Every structure is written in C-alpha cells, then in structure tokens.
C-alpha cells in the first residue's frame, strides 16, 4: 500500500477535527457526584457543583433558594454527618446547539420522600459543568391529584399554616 493511500485511510478513519466528545457522560458524572456528596455529607463538594448564582427549588412552594441561602439552611444537616440521599434511577440530558448549556430530568429513588423527580440546567464553565438550577418535585399520580389539590388548598387557607421542615426561602412572598 502506498504512503498516500495509507495516509488517506488513516485520515478517513479519524474523527473530524472539532468534533468534541459527547459531554453527556461528564454531565451525568457531575449530577451523580452531587447526589453522592449529599449522601456523604460533603458540604464543600455538594455546593461546589453549583454556579455562583445557582438556584435550588425544593418541593415546598416556599423553597426557592439561592446557592448561598440553601447552603446556610443545609449546613446543620451536613455538619451532623447526614444530609439526604437521592439516587437517580433514570435520566434524560439535552444540550444546546453550542454545547454550553444542558438541561435534564431524572427519576429519583429517595428513602425519606419516596419517588421524586429532579430537573434542572447545567452550564459549562471553565472548571467544568455546574448546576445553575435544580428543581426537586414529588410526582403525584393524576388519579390522586383531586385529593392533593384539596389538601393543599385547605392548608393554604389556614390563618397561619403550621411550619414546614424548612423556613421559607429568603424573598418568598405568599399570595394574598
């Protein structure tokens, strides 16, 4: 085989220049490590996965936390050596055309809350992928929605609803 033919064969088999590897495995690794950091009560690692202006939306309507407010609220849980344990059982990841923004949804197994869903947005920063927003929810089967809707409405009609496990996030303003 001539050198020119061999060179053409090698070039044809090589990936095209500029084709980056699929970032989905790296994004999944960030999310998995983020969940693992909470289970291991590693506060620095857990909050290090957020962007500086990251937001965490909890399951309670009052829970819209900036990264720093969420960290202040969660610090006692991490300090006692037990935060929370979420494990992704399925995940979908999509990417922007330029590959710098990713959004995802994941089904979660949680020992304390049962089946949950997480969704959010990650952005690619100089140090890697960071979580810009995470939204934790509890999926309610449609057949149970009327019951839950009634219970939520009754809860909100109380003069002073009993406190939830978390105080309202800074900036929360109830309707009314």
């Amino acid at each position: 085989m001539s050198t020119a033919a061999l060179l053409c064969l090698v070039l044809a088999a090589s990936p095209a220049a500029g084709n980056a590897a699929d970032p989905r495995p790296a994004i999944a690794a960030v999310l998995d490590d983020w969940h693992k950091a909470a289970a291991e009560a590693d506060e620095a690692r857990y909050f290090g996965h957020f962007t500086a202006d990251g937001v965490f939306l909890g399951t309670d309507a009052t829970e819209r936390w900036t990264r720093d407010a969420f960290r202040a609220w969660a610090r006692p849980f991490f300090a006692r050596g037990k935060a929370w344990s979420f494990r992704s059982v399925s995940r979908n990841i999509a990417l922007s055309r330029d590959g710098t923004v990713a959004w995802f949804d994941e089904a979660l197994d949680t020992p304390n809350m049962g089946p949950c869903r997480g969704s959010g947005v990650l952005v690619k920063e100089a140090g890697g992928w960071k979580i810009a927003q995470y939204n934790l929810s509890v999926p309610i089967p449609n057949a149970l929605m009327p019951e839950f809707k009634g219970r939520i409405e009754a809860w909100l009609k109380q003069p002073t609803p009993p406190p939830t496990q978390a105080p309202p996030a800074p900036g929360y303003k109830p309707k009314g």
Side-chain angles (χ1 to χ4, degrees), residues 50 55-61 63-66 70 117 119 133-137:
F50 278 100
V55 171
F56 183 94
L57 302 169
T59 57
D60 192 290
E63 296 175 329
R64 184 190 188 280
W65 304 92
T66 63
F70 185 44
R117 178 182 296 149
S119 62
Q133 185 184 71
Y134 191 82
N135 186 356
L136 178 64
S137 63

Side-chain angles (χ1 to χ4, degrees), residues 112-127:
N112 62 323
M113 298 173 66
C116 287
R117 178 182 296 149
S119 62
V121 177
L122 288 90
V123 294
K124 190 173 185 181
E125 294 187 344

Side-chain angles (χ1 to χ4, degrees), residues 6-143:
L6 183 58
L7 181 58
C8 286
L9 182 62
V10 168
L11 288 174
S14 300
N19 280 357
D22 183 358
R24 286 175 186 87
I27 293 164
V30 166
L31 293 168
D32 288 341
D33 188 63
W34 183 61
H35 291 312
K36 188 175 180 187
E40 296 173 355
D42 187 335
E43 179 183 350
R45 193 167 104 227
Y46 182 83
F47 288 98
H49 283 298
F50 278 100
T51 61
D53 59 351
V55 171
F56 183 94
L57 302 169
T59 57
D60 192 290
T62 64
E63 296 175 329
R64 184 190 188 280
W65 304 92
T66 63
R67 178 199 65 184
D68 296 340
F70 185 44
R71 187 173 191 166
W73 174 81
R75 181 162 283 131
F77 295 95
F78 283 90
R80 72 177 187 212
K82 181 153 177 52
W84 45 87
S85 180
F86 296 168
R87 185 179 62 82
S88 178
V89 294
S90 69
R91 182 179 290 141
N92 300 294
I93 299 172
L95 294 159
S96 63
R97 287 183 190 217
D98 67 359
T100 62
V101 177
W103 53 97
F104 68 95
D105 60 88
E106 59 185 358
L108 299 167
D109 177 37
T110 74
N112 62 323
M113 298 173 66
C116 287
R117 178 182 296 149
S119 62
V121 177
L122 288 90
V123 294
K124 190 173 185 181
E125 294 187 344
W129 289 95
K130 299 284 184 173
I131 299 166
Q133 185 184 71
Y134 191 82
N135 186 356
L136 178 64
S137 63
V138 179
I140 299 171
N142 289 335

